[in-house]
């Protein structure tokens, strides 16, 4: 299995920008599904789960970036 390399600064920046855009879209879709089908409809629930998953991925990237920054300053 080939070695893995961390993302470059440019790749991380692009990923964060794209995730932010995805999060906004997922939030809009979640609101639309809830308004159109009701909060308890499976479509609205899945849309909310998508929104939550994108948010968790953003948080994980932020945590790993903070951990990397802490490691380099120590």
């Amino acid at each position: 299995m080939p070695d893995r390399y961390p993302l470059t600064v440019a790749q991380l920046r692009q990923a964060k920008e794209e995730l932010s855009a995805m999060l906004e879209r997922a939030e809009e879709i979640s609101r639309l599904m809830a308004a159109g089908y009701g909060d308890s409809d499976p479509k609205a629930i899945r849309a909310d789960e998508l929104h939550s998953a994108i948010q968790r991925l953003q948080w994980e990237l932020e945590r790993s970036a903070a951990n990397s920054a802490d490691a380099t300053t120590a």
Side-chain angles (χ1 to χ4, degrees):
M1 187 163 175
D3 292 339
R4 296 184 183 180
Y5 301 97
L7 297 177
T8 65
V9 172
Q11 289 171 324
L12 281 171
R13 185 177 303 119
Q14 181 181 1
K16 288 178 182 180
E17 288 172 2
E18 290 178 8
L19 280 171
S20 291
M22 288 172 61
L23 185 66
E24 288 178 24
R25 292 289 313 220
E27 186 175 8
E28 292 171 12
I29 291 168
S30 179
R31 275 194 249 127
L32 179 64
M33 293 294 122
Y37 296 104
D39 289 332
S40 61
D41 187 84
K43 290 177 274 309
I45 292 169
R46 297 300 173 258
D48 191 48
E49 289 173 353
L50 173 64
H51 176 256
S52 297
I54 294 169
Q55 179 67 63
R56 288 190 304 273
L57 178 55
Q58 275 188 323
W59 289 339
E60 187 59 36
L61 287 173
E62 290 169 5
R63 272 194 299 272
S64 64
N67 290 340
S68 294
D70 290 345
T72 58
T73 59

